Amino acid sequence: METLKIDGSIGHGGGQILRSALALSAILGKPFEMHSIRKDRNQSGLRRQHLCGVLATAEICGAKLEGAELGSADLLFIPKKIKAGTYQFAVGTGGSVSLVLQSVLLPLTVQKMKSHISVAGGTYTPQAPTAEFFAETLVPRMNQMGYSIQAEIARAGFFRIGGGLVKVGCCRKDTFMPVYWMNKETPRKCFIQIVTSQFPEKTTLKIAKLIREELSKMRNMIPYELEITENPDIEEPGAAVIVRTTGRNPTVFSEIAQYGYTSEALVRSLGKQIRGFLAASAPIETHLADQIILPLFFAAGGSFLTKGLSEHLESCIKVLELFTGQKVKTEKDGKCLVVNVPKFKRENND
């Protein structure tokens, strides 16, 4: 079979392109060769969480690899058959558990036989979905499509030491149904949790105060509750702000306190997320949109309304079209975007 050539710098040029390619390659049995991986990032090439995703995906489908090493900007991935089973993966640092799962979850979840996956690493990592987002936002949406996934956050961990652990059981049900998330809605309530570990109390209280002040400025802010939770089991000092919205389409998003990242900057970024989410009233939040494209495609397709075409979403669409030749259609709907995802044509899987 011909090896697909992929420019890793297309779209936003980040790890999302690699993770999408890994999942697609494993499911379709199509080899690919990617160059210029994460070309314009501060630390280009494969970092530990990316390498873990590569090795994990290779393990579940017996793939042949070339270039699978830290810092590599080029990768050859030649998959064989996916095998359901019990797998344990570890990033080795506080790299994101959720990002590793983006590569291996779908290939194992499209199988009829159940698999059990454990991934160790960071559950609170900057510029990555938290484990709460994965378990409470992504997993329920995938289950609505016809997958069967159970996720447990066994331990939490921040982004330097790690120590977090997420356990997943997954397979597919007998039938898939098209899914349509098209109706706008305003969440009924918002729950804000500041999760801390060995974090200065003064700074935690400052963050809470700044959040209340930021929310008081929002004209469209819904009723909310705020609580501070100290987690003594996390090895590394840190703080994460987890926001949960209630309604027909519950959503989780977050901000992570980083070194050199002020409390004011953290809260401003969080406020921007909340404002954008409430203003759009779209059923699929921006960070979720790119993560449901592939699951929808391999289920029965469908449509959804989201805030707009993010770089991550655009990259996922491009990689999907490269592997399959099938088109994802997008069209503007006022200030939002309608995304129409086709159903996988099995005859394309040669």
Side-chain angles (χ1 to χ4, degrees), residues 41-53:
R41 296 303 190 258
N42 290 333
Q43 292 181 306
S44 62
L46 298 175
R47 309 316 303 163
R48 286 196 179 276
Q49 67 191 21
H50 309 106
L51 180 58
C52 181

Side-chain angles (χ1 to χ4, degrees), residues 273-317:
Q273 284 196 68
I274 295 174
R275 281 189 178 89
F277 177 73
L278 294 177
S281 298
I284 299 299
E285 190 263 343
T286 301
H287 296 94
L288 176 62
D290 58 271
Q291 296 191 42
I292 62 172
I293 289 287
L294 300 190
L296 264 178
F297 177 75
F298 286 106
S303 301
F304 63 86
L305 188 69
T306 189
K307 183 181 177 183
L309 185 63
S310 68
E311 289 182 334
H312 279 78
L313 177 56
E314 185 177 20
S315 296
C316 281
I317 291 172

Side-chain angles (χ1 to χ4, degrees), residues 38-67:
R38 303 179 66 255
K39 179 180 178 181
D40 296 324
R41 296 303 190 258
N42 290 333
Q43 292 181 306
S44 62
L46 298 175
R47 309 316 303 163
R48 286 196 179 276
Q49 67 191 21
H50 309 106
L51 180 58
C52 181
V54 169
L55 297 176
T57 312
E59 184 175 339
I60 68 172
C61 67
K64 175 185 175 182
L65 295 171
E66 290 183 14

Side-chain angles (χ1 to χ4, degrees), residues 97-102 105-106 109 117 123 129-142 149-153 166-170 252 288 291:
V97 166
S98 297
L99 294 185
V100 173
L101 283 164
Q102 281 187 24
L105 177 67
L106 188 59
T109 305
I117 316 166
T123 62
T130 62
E132 285 87 347
F133 173 91
F134 169 78
E136 300 174 35
T137 300
L138 178 60
V139 166
R141 300 305 195 286
M142 289 182 67
I149 308 170
Q150 304 81 40
E152 175 196 355
I153 305 172
V166 174
K167 298 180 179 180
V168 180
C170 62
V252 176
L288 176 62
Q291 296 191 42

Side-chain angles (χ1 to χ4, degrees), residues 148-321:
S148 178
I149 308 170
Q150 304 81 40
E152 175 196 355
I153 305 172
R155 292 194 307 272
F158 281 102
F159 55 92
R160 288 184 181 260
I161 296 176
L165 180 67
V166 174
K167 298 180 179 180
V168 180
C170 62
C171 62
R172 66 173 187 149
K173 297 177 183 176
D174 292 334
T175 58
F176 288 116
M177 294 293 292
V179 181
Y180 303 96
W181 293 295
M182 295 298 298
N183 296 322
K184 290 187 175 184
E185 70 161 322
T186 300
R188 294 189 297 270
K189 199 169 184 178
C190 184
F191 295 90
I192 302 170
Q193 182 184 30
I194 305 175
V195 181
T196 66
S197 169
Q198 308 167 54
F199 202 69
E201 182 181 12
K202 182 179 179 181
T203 307
T204 302
L205 294 175
K206 179 181 179 181
I207 290 172
K209 179 176 179 289
L210 289 171
I211 289 174
R212 291 190 180 97
E213 291 175 352
E214 184 73 13
L215 299 183
S216 70
K217 303 173 187 175
M218 298 186 192
R219 295 179 181 178
N220 61 345
M221 186 57 199
I222 57 178
Y224 73 92
E225 295 180 10
L226 188 151
E227 68 175 18
I228 298 171
T229 304
E230 170 72 19
N231 189 332
D233 297 327
I234 301 178
E235 299 178 41
E236 179 182 351
V241 184
I242 310 297
V243 179
R244 295 174 171 91
T245 66
T246 63
R248 190 163 54 245
N249 298 290
T251 300
V252 176
F253 43 91
S254 61
E255 281 292 335
I256 311 298
Q258 305 174 46
Y259 297 94
Y261 194 41
T262 66
S263 300
E264 288 80 4
L266 182 151
V267 174
R268 280 196 301 271
S269 181
L270 183 72
K272 183 178 180 180
Q273 284 196 68
I274 295 174
R275 281 189 178 89
F277 177 73
L278 294 177
S281 298
I284 299 299
E285 190 263 343
T286 301
H287 296 94
L288 176 62
D290 58 271
Q291 296 191 42
I292 62 172
I293 289 287
L294 300 190
L296 264 178
F297 177 75
F298 286 106
S303 301
F304 63 86
L305 188 69
T306 189
K307 183 181 177 183
L309 185 63
S310 68
E311 289 182 334
H312 279 78
L313 177 56
E314 185 177 20
S315 296
C316 281
I317 291 172
K318 285 182 178 179
V319 176
L320 175 61
E321 292 176 348

